[in-house]
Amino acid sequence: MNPAALKGKSLVNLKDWSPEEIEYILELAESTKRSSRNGDVHQRFIGKTLALIFEKRSTRTRCAFETAFGEEGGHPVFLSTQDIQLGSKESVEDTARVLGRMFSAIEFRGFKQATVETLAREAGVPVYNGLTDEYHPTQALADVMTLKEVFGKTKGLKLCFVGDGRNNVARSLAVISSKLGLDYTVISPKELCMDQALLGECEKWSGVSGAKITITDSLDAVAGANALYTDVWVSMGEESRRDERVRLLSPYQVNESLMARTGNSSCVFLHCLPAVKGEEVTVPVIEGTASRVWDQAENRKHTIKALMLATL
Ligand code: CP
Ligand code: NVA
């Protein structure tokens, strides 16, 4: 893999990223993390600018992009939809063309995947998906980095996502797992299981990597897991479905009994955060010794910095 080939590349959903390119970002993130721990100071984004468009709220993603870019000498500009014309007076295409003339790169968090794809097509600069209804690819990078730190590898690890199998986090984990050869099991009630179209796409990458992707509604499938992962029952934008979600997902809470059902005392717990403690995960699990959620949150910054270093 030639790192120069990544210059100018966008990250909209990881589907057009090869396993080698993903591994390269993970290695760069590991070295960025080491360097940050050593207190090294670099100024690799001097003279560069980053537009941060947020239609939805964020703590980790915004702060990871903003601090990673700013501490390297770059100038991030936060643009909520209260601030810019996008979505009200101006089309996505026109916004992309204008921002592309002024910024070195654009991050977008919002509702439609089509918006981030249009930005990437029209802007002429790298565009990063900071979460849409369908995908959360920068989260998936931090998640596999965390698994690699804990287990020294990702290939062959059994990662179980327990919860809303249709959501952005579960879907991006399916893409990255099938590219990197994980054994990824999505455990959800039938009403919330991952769509067949995405599974079909994952099959072609799994064929190359040796990944195994399993969809089930049975909690027995946690047996042998190296990591249990969950996410909120109600994603941003779906607040009106709260009652239905609580009803469907209550049996799928990650609690001590489910952790024990893995039969693996070294199984770790992961969550993209923010968490609703007492709903998708209990306090003893998220605050317990198996929890790696704070490392995961920190790794958002290192992987996002690596992504920007590689593509800018
Ligand atoms: N995990 C994640 O994307 O967190 P934020 O919503 O705080 O950005
Ligand atoms: N699935 C969640 C992830 C938050 C980081 C949401 O979209 O709200």
Side-chain angles (χ1 to χ4, degrees), residues 23-63:
E23 296 284 5
Y24 175 77
I25 297 295
L26 296 175
E27 280 161 28
L28 191 55
E30 283 159 22
S31 99
T32 303
K33 185 169 184 173
R34 273 194 305 275
S35 161
S36 147
R37 289 280 197 277
N38 290 339
D40 301 345
V41 176
H42 300 287
Q43 292 284 282
R44 291 169 286 194
F45 295 143
I46 279 188
K48 296 196 190 299
T49 48
L50 172 69
L52 295 164
I53 307 175
F54 282 81
E55 291 178 345
K56 293 179 177 174
R57 283 171 184 269
S58 168
T59 299
R60 279 141 289 269
T61 309
R62 175 184 176 178
C63 296

Side-chain angles (χ1 to χ4, degrees), residues 24-305:
Y24 175 77
I25 297 295
L26 296 175
E27 280 161 28
L28 191 55
E30 283 159 22
S31 99
T32 303
K33 185 169 184 173
R34 273 194 305 275
S35 161
S36 147
R37 289 280 197 277
N38 290 339
D40 301 345
V41 176
H42 300 287
Q43 292 284 282
R44 291 169 286 194
F45 295 143
I46 279 188
K48 296 196 190 299
T49 48
L50 172 69
L52 295 164
I53 307 175
F54 282 81
E55 291 178 345
K56 293 179 177 174
R57 283 171 184 269
S58 168
T59 299
R60 279 141 289 269
T61 309
R62 175 184 176 178
C63 296
F65 272 103
E66 203 161 323
T67 57
F69 199 67
E71 72 190 20
E72 293 278 348
H75 182 61
V77 177
F78 180 75
L79 300 164
S80 82
T81 41
Q82 303 300 310
D83 306 311
I84 55 170
Q85 309 281 16
L86 174 70
S88 52
K89 255 174 130 175
E90 198 159 32
S91 69
V92 180
E93 286 83 352
D94 290 0
T95 304
R97 292 184 193 125
V98 173
L99 296 182
R101 299 285 181 110
M102 298 188 188
F103 288 91
S104 316
I106 301 167
E107 179 277 354
F108 172 82
R109 165 173 286 202
F111 295 90
K112 294 191 186 124
Q113 178 67 17
T115 306
V116 75
E117 291 181 3
T118 304
L119 288 170
R121 200 176 58 239
E122 301 290 339
V125 295
V127 171
Y128 312 120
N129 179 353
L131 178 148
T132 62
D133 291 345
E134 289 178 49
Y135 295 102
H136 197 2
T138 62
Q139 179 69 51
L141 288 172
D143 300 339
V144 290
M145 177 179 180
T146 309
L147 287 172
K148 232 177 133 186
E149 284 177 342
V150 177
F151 299 105
K153 61 167 191 176
T154 52
K155 221 178 185 62
L157 287 181
K158 180 166 178 178
L159 168 65
C160 291
F161 181 94
V162 185
D164 176 7
R166 306 156 325 119
N167 89 7
N168 38 24
V169 170
R171 291 165 54 87
S172 279
L173 285 171
V175 177
I176 206 161
S177 296
S178 57
K179 297 246 174 186
L180 299 186
L182 278 82
D183 175 349
Y184 180 55
T185 302
V186 187
I187 307 173
S188 330
K190 286 197 176 65
E191 294 86 338
L192 298 173
C193 83
M194 190 172 287
D195 66 274
Q196 287 300 326
L198 180 63
L199 286 176
E201 283 187 275
C202 289
E203 264 168 32
K204 61 180 192 259
W205 305 311
S206 302
V208 178
S209 69
K212 194 173 144 212
I213 312 292
T214 310
I215 305 297
T216 177
D217 62 354
S218 168
L219 287 162
D220 290 340
V222 299
N226 297 104
L228 291 195
Y229 194 127
T230 192
D231 184 11
V232 288
W233 289 344
V234 186
S235 285
M236 290 180 277
E238 300 192 318
E239 289 75 9
S240 64
R241 318 199 74 140
R242 183 169 173 78
D243 291 350
E244 179 201 8
R245 290 297 163 73
V246 172
R247 180 176 57 79
L248 290 171
L249 287 163
S250 291
Y252 292 82
Q253 182 189 62
V254 179
N255 48 36
E256 285 169 303
S257 136
L258 193 66
M259 291 295 288
R261 228 161 132 181
T262 65
N264 177 8
S265 56
S266 50
C267 177
V268 297
F269 171 72
L270 300 176
H271 192 308
C272 56
L273 304 178
V276 184
K277 297 177 189 178
E279 285 200 356
E280 72 274 7
V281 60
T282 58
V283 172
V285 170
I286 196 166
E287 302 292 351
T289 52
S291 177
R292 295 290 178 277
V293 300
W294 314 115
D295 295 329
Q296 233 183 315
E298 179 190 335
N299 288 341
R300 298 295 310 285
K301 176 168 175 174
H302 304 300
T303 43
I304 281 172
K305 186 184 275 192

